[in-house]
Amino acid sequence: MKRIFFALAFASFFWSCKTAGVAIFTKPVIENVAVAINLNDVNDDKVLVTITAPKISTDEVTYSIPKIVPGTYSIDNYGKFIEDFKAFDNKGTALTIAKTDDNTWSIKNAKTVAKVTYLVNDTFDTEKGSGFGNSDIFSPAGTNIDAGKNFMLNMHGFVGFFQDKKDLPYNVSISHPATLWGATSMTDRDVSDTNDLFTTTRYAELVENPIMYAKPDYTTFTIDGMEILIGVYSPTGKVTAESITSEMKTMMTAQKNFLGKINATKKYSVLLYLSTMTDTDAKGFGALEHPTATTVVLPEMMPKSELVKSMVDVVSHEFFHIVTPLSIHSKEIHDFDYNAPKMSEHLWMYEGVTEYFANLFQINQGLITEEDFLNRMSEKIANANAMNDTMPFTTMSANVLNEPYKAQYLNVYEKGALIGMCLDIIIREKSNGERGILDLMQKLSNEYGPSKPFNDNELFAKITSFTYPEVGTFLETYVSGPTPIPYDTFLAKVGITKSLKKVPTNVFLKGQVPYITVNQQTKEIIVIPNSELNDFYKNLDLKGGDIIVAINEKSFSLENIYEMISVSETWKENDPIAIKIKRNGKEQIIKGKVKLPYEEKEGLNTTDSSKKALKEAWLKG
């Protein structure tokens, strides 16, 4: 999973398998769970789901919707979005049911149950957008119901499971308008234009295969035997699949080249949903991984350049999850309990190494410069140091659903990635540059693979056996222990040291403090009065209370303020600029040149040329 946070400081201003016995000479009957989802008859923004039950041998049985799903690390209670749950026998007689918690229904006289029905509400309608850690369901793991336009089917929000029946095959029939097409990595086994039929070997496989229905807008291409699908839903048509495919193909080709022997899937889908950011639309931006797909949610208002950058960021991260946890994972993940989850100790690997790869492959494949890569690692060091640096990572991981560990989850993208970096450097040093952490992950993938999980408490020993004693010492000291990582020590091995440097900052933000606000009634963007303005404002003689009407002839207001902030990130020192403002009720145009604000930040630089060979092996090997 990867979350993206867009201008958080502005938030307060902008948004107040089992086979039945058979007789000889007869065709085997495979017991399954049949699901029917009706996307044609949407009433009150709700979708009807009908489940045909397998044979139940107990007097009472439960049907559950997930409380949590893999990759989210949060309790979401999808059952809260289910209404009017009913159970019937084969004569259509209603059976007695009882809701035992937010996500589970108990059915009496269960041996006679023939089907259950219920209505599903979507989650996008409920999002408040108040940031990480709120009660919102993370949008890429959520659901959308927009009749005739879009349906985001993360299947865990629509389909549940009967007690002890999760390992049965699932046959899912989806009726839909002929104008909508379902983008997914699954194969449609129905040739009809208005009905799709998907089959999976068990419930866990179904949950890992999202479907996005929308007006057909997709591209496909093949990389080294892997078929890639890019599906897009853009409410206004501003973004098309074709418009982003070139950049996605370049990125994913580089990823495949980087991974080399690791190739866990033959088809991969990227499902991009673009939000209007209205009251009833998605506000949790980022992506969620699956073995053969990634769901991505971003704001439609983003400029294309920023959209593509965000897609590269989140999709590259999610794609690398085909290595871990999808190919290398513990029993807690392999036999995931959707309603009473036990979490694994190894988020440092599942999310941290994945995030490290998402950055390393870009320097390795020539997509970014060495300076870019080192700047990213420097930022991660600063972010990690701002969190609890003495909390053992394995302890945090195993308890991530509860406080105080939950508050430290975001460190998986910071310190988790740095753990991967340090391990990579250690392995490179000990092998004289010949091997790195990618080699380790290939060995672990060969040892385990998608169908063979490891025991949590045995992983460190296995990693050490594949590498060096120093790797085991690092893991015990800095990952399962409370000792902060001395990054200087490990970076020095590849000739890199810390140094102070002046870097340009956002003209509209100082850290998380904004220089502008919004009039909620008029939707005008206002320079905050009585604030100490930076060099950008001083150079143009902008003053507190000025209303920004337009920049370089492009009008801005609350509706497209994110675009204004994004465009400002592309400005260079001394670029010509013309800003139309309203001051004391009168409009005027101020012309001049961009003067960027700078601040001193701790960065990373190469200072020891004697370590060049090892550094090159690390970054380019």
Side-chain angles (χ1 to χ4, degrees):
M1 179 181 71
K2 187 70 183 292
R3 292 179 182 263
I4 291 183
F5 299 93
F6 294 116
L8 291 183
F10 292 90
S12 59
F13 298 110
F14 301 159
W15 303 284
S16 305
C17 305
K18 182 177 179 182
T19 304
V22 294
I24 194 167
F25 302 128
T26 63
K27 185 178 180 180
V29 176
I30 306 299
E31 190 179 10
N32 62 65
V33 180
V35 180
I37 301 176
N38 185 348
L39 303 183
N40 288 308
D41 301 323
V42 178
N43 296 307
D44 194 23
D45 209 28
K46 299 167 190 173
V47 161
L48 175 67
V49 175
T50 302
I51 309 292
T52 301
K55 182 176 177 58
I56 305 297
S57 58
T58 57
D59 292 328
E60 187 173 341
V61 72
T62 59
Y63 182 86
S64 299
I65 296 289
K67 176 179 183 178
I68 181 175
V69 292
T72 57
Y73 311 108
S74 64
I75 299 296
D76 289 325
N77 293 313
Y78 290 92
K80 293 188 299 184
F81 299 90
I82 304 300
E83 293 182 8
D84 199 24
F85 186 97
K86 298 176 182 177
F88 303 91
D89 64 18
N90 57 14
K91 295 181 180 180
T93 303
L95 302 177
T96 301
I97 61 169
K99 189 171 185 179
T100 57
D101 60 35
D102 281 342
N103 308 290
T104 302
W105 294 261
S106 176
I107 304 171
K108 306 291 185 181
N109 200 17
K111 291 179 182 178
T112 68
V113 65
K115 69 177 181 180
V116 300
T117 65
Y118 50 85
L119 297 173
V120 179
N121 284 290
D122 64 332
T123 69
F124 284 8
D125 285 352
T126 68
E127 294 184 18
K128 306 300 181 187
S130 53
F132 180 77
N134 60 32
S135 59
D136 289 356
I137 288 178
F138 183 45
S139 300
T143 59
N144 189 46
I145 298 172
D146 192 355
K149 296 179 181 179
N150 175 270
F151 297 89
M152 177 62 83
L153 303 189
N154 272 306
M155 301 306 292
H156 52 259
F158 289 83
V159 183
F161 52 89
F162 288 98
Q163 179 182 335
D164 300 325
K165 300 292 184 180
K166 289 200 298 290
D167 287 334
L168 291 179
Y170 271 68
N171 294 337
V172 181
S173 177
I174 303 175
S175 58
H176 60 87
T179 55
L180 303 185
W181 178 78
T184 182
S185 288
M186 292 190 289
T187 299
D188 177 15
R189 302 183 184 279
D190 191 319
V191 296
S192 167
D193 290 337
T194 57
N195 198 80
D196 297 336
L197 177 63
F198 304 104
T199 63
T200 64
T201 59
R202 62 182 187 138
Y203 182 73
E205 182 184 345
L206 177 64
V207 166
E208 295 290 9
N209 278 280
I211 313 171
M212 184 173 73
Y213 283 91
K215 178 182 177 182
D217 182 10
Y218 66 96
T219 57
T220 60
F221 53 89
T222 302
I223 301 173
D224 191 24
M226 179 186 288
E227 181 186 349
I228 309 293
L229 167 74
I230 309 293
V232 173
Y233 173 66
S234 177
T236 68
K238 175 184 175 183
V239 180
T240 65
E242 186 66 35
S243 70
I244 62 173
T245 292
S246 176
E247 292 89 348
M248 296 302 294
K249 186 174 183 179
T250 297
M251 178 198 73
M252 298 182 85
T253 299
Q255 289 184 283
K256 285 282 289 175
N257 290 338
F258 175 80
L259 285 176
K261 299 176 183 178
I262 301 179
N263 184 4
T265 182
K266 293 299 181 183
K267 183 175 181 180
Y268 197 87
S269 299
V270 178
L271 311 181
L272 172 61
Y273 178 96
L274 295 171
S275 171
T276 60
M277 297 180 68
T278 55
D279 289 344
T280 57
D281 211 344
K283 299 179 182 68
F285 304 126
L288 180 67
E289 82 279 2
H290 300 278
T292 62
T294 291
T295 51
V296 188
V297 178
L298 294 171
E300 189 183 38
M301 67 172 64
M302 294 177 72
K304 186 197 169 186
S305 60
E306 291 299 310
L307 175 68
V308 169
K309 282 173 60 178
S310 294
M311 286 290 285
V312 169
D313 178 31
V314 298
V315 175
S316 62
H317 176 97
E318 306 307 335
F319 184 81
F320 279 123
H321 275 303
I322 68 174
V323 181
T324 184
L326 304 177
S327 292
I328 310 165
H329 55 252
S330 70
K331 290 180 178 178
E332 288 80 2
I333 291 176
H334 189 76
D335 300 315
F336 191 81
D337 191 324
Y338 298 92
N339 292 76
K342 182 180 180 183
M343 308 307 287
S344 170
E345 295 181 353
H346 298 295
L347 270 174
W348 69 270
M349 183 174 72
Y350 308 139
E351 293 293 344
V353 171
T354 298
E355 174 68 2
Y356 175 61
F357 280 168
N359 287 277
L360 180 66
F361 96 95
Q362 295 187 57
I363 174 66
N364 180 273
Q365 296 292 308
L367 301 183
I368 61 174
T369 66
E370 180 179 314
E371 181 181 10
D372 291 333
F373 177 78
L374 293 180
N375 284 342
R376 294 182 184 191
M377 294 302 104
S378 178
E379 288 179 5
K380 289 187 179 300
I381 291 173
N383 293 339
N385 288 341
M387 302 193 78
N388 186 339
D389 206 21
T390 61
M391 178 182 287
F393 226 75
T394 51
T395 303
M396 181 272 286
S397 180
N399 298 280
V400 70
L401 300 180
N402 306 304
E403 297 295 0
Y405 309 101
K406 182 178 179 179
Q408 298 297 311
Y409 168 75
L410 289 180
N411 214 9
V412 300
Y413 304 117
E414 312 298 344
K415 187 174 181 178
L418 296 168
I419 289 170
M421 179 189 76
C422 293
L423 289 172
D424 201 8
I425 291 172
I426 295 170
I427 297 170
R428 287 289 178 188
E429 180 189 40
K430 301 303 294 184
S431 66
N432 294 318
E434 293 182 4
R435 293 184 299 277
I437 193 170
L438 181 59
D439 176 80
L440 167 63
M441 300 309 288
Q442 288 172 338
K443 289 178 179 176
L444 289 171
S445 182
N446 292 335
E447 175 75 12
Y448 298 109
S451 60
K452 181 185 176 183
F454 58 78
N455 292 317
D456 251 17
N457 60 359
E458 297 174 358
L459 181 62
F460 284 178
K462 180 63 69 175
I463 289 175
T464 304
S465 73
F466 283 153
T467 55
Y468 305 95
E470 290 82 356
V471 169
T473 299
F474 178 91
L475 292 170
E476 295 292 343
T477 304
Y478 302 115
V479 181
S480 63
T483 308
I485 300 174
Y487 300 110
D488 293 359
T489 300
F490 295 99
L491 288 168
K493 296 177 184 292
V494 287
I496 293 171
T497 58
K498 292 179 183 177
S499 62
L500 289 175
K501 59 173 70 174
K502 284 192 173 183
V503 296
T505 62
N506 191 289
V507 301
F508 297 117
L509 283 172
K510 183 178 182 181
Q512 292 296 309
V513 180
Y515 288 104
I516 54 176
T517 186
V518 172
N519 184 312
Q520 293 290 338
Q521 292 182 329
T522 65
K523 299 184 179 180
E524 294 173 321
I525 300 169
I526 306 167
V527 179
I528 295 178
N530 304 316
S531 61
E532 180 61 34
L533 300 176
N534 63 34
D535 288 346
F536 172 79
Y537 300 89
K538 293 176 182 177
N539 183 57
L540 295 170
D541 197 31
L542 291 169
K543 302 182 183 303
D546 285 347
I547 297 170
I548 297 176
V549 179
I551 300 177
N552 293 335
E553 299 184 347
K554 169 76 174 179
S555 298
F556 290 105
S557 65
L558 173 61
E559 278 75 12
N560 62 346
I561 191 168
Y562 178 75
E563 182 177 354
M564 183 182 82
I565 297 168
S566 297
V567 167
S568 74
E569 296 281 358
T570 67
W571 294 343
K572 307 297 183 186
E573 190 80 14
N574 294 321
D575 278 353
I577 190 169
I579 302 182
K580 180 188 287 188
I581 66 167
K582 188 186 295 182
R583 181 180 292 169
N584 298 324
K586 296 182 179 180
E587 287 191 353
Q588 59 178 289
I589 296 177
I590 298 177
K591 294 184 177 181
K593 292 184 177 181
V594 171
K595 185 174 179 59
L596 296 174
Y598 285 78
E599 64 180 33
E600 269 198 343
K601 282 189 175 180
E602 199 171 63
L604 298 175
N605 287 292
T606 300
T607 55
D608 186 351
S609 58
S610 70
K611 304 295 176 61
K612 181 178 179 181
L614 187 59
K615 185 189 72 173
E616 289 299 305
W618 168 45
L619 298 179
K620 301 297 179 64

